[in-house]
Amino acid sequence: QGQLVESGGGSVHPGGSLELSCALAHYSHDSYCWAWFRQAPGKELEGVASLDTESGTSYADPVKGRFTISKDNVKNILSLQMTSLKPEDTAMYFCAATLAKQLCRGPRGPPTRGFGYWGRGTQVTVSS
C-alpha cells in the first residue's frame, strides 16, 4: 500500500474556510472506509467525518453542517471542505483509512480506534 499525504492546512480567521486534501496513492477506493480526524493540543484524538461507498458520509456533531467530506476517484484524493471555522476547530487534522467498513456506519462520525492507515497530518489554526 502507499502513503496517505495530507495538505491544505493553514491559518484562517473565525468564519473563514479551508479545504484539506489527502492523496490516496495505491489504494483500492471501494475497499476502504475513509475518514478525517483531528487532535488539538492537550486533547484526545477526535473523529471528524467518514465516508465509504456503501454507507455514505457521517459527521461528528461539532462539525455537522459546516464540514463536508468527499472523494475524487479520478484524482485519488479525499477532501474535507471546512466552512464557518471556529477557534475550537484549531487542531492537527489527519486522514485515515480502514478495511473495516463498518466503522463508517456510525451516525456521529468515525470512532478513533480501528483505523490502520494514517497520514502525518496538516495543521489548521483558527484565530483572530
Side-chain angles (χ1 to χ4, degrees):
Q1 302 291 346
Q3 293 181 324
L4 301 178
V5 181
E6 303 93 339
S7 62
S11 296
V12 65
H13 293 307
S17 300
L18 279 175
E19 182 169 4
L20 306 183
S21 297
C22 177
L24 313 174
H26 309 303
Y27 285 84
S28 172
H29 307 288
D30 288 348
S31 299
Y32 291 87
C33 160
W34 304 99
W36 286 96
F37 295 84
R38 67 185 181 185
Q39 188 166 26
K43 295 190 176 181
E44 294 185 352
L45 187 68
E46 176 186 22
V48 174
S50 64
L51 175 152
D52 89 294
T53 56
E54 298 172 2
S55 303
T57 59
S58 179
Y59 298 91
D61 287 344
V63 306
K64 280 182 179 177
R66 301 189 297 121
F67 290 13
T68 302
I69 186 172
S70 62
K71 183 162 56 67
D72 186 324
N73 289 336
V74 175
K75 296 181 180 179
N76 295 349
I77 292 175
L78 180 74
S79 297
L80 184 69
Q81 179 69 40
M82 307 184 293
T83 63
S84 301
L85 283 161
K86 305 175 181 180
E88 51 264 43
D89 295 317
T90 295
M92 184 72 78
Y93 283 72
F94 302 89
C95 64
T98 178
L99 288 168
K101 297 187 74 174
Q102 67 273 16
L103 297 182
C104 268
R105 296 174 189 163
R108 293 186 176 86
T112 55
R113 296 184 179 223
F115 284 78
Y117 306 96
W118 291 83
R120 294 189 175 185
T122 186
Q123 177 67 37
V124 171
T125 302
V126 185
S127 69
S128 54

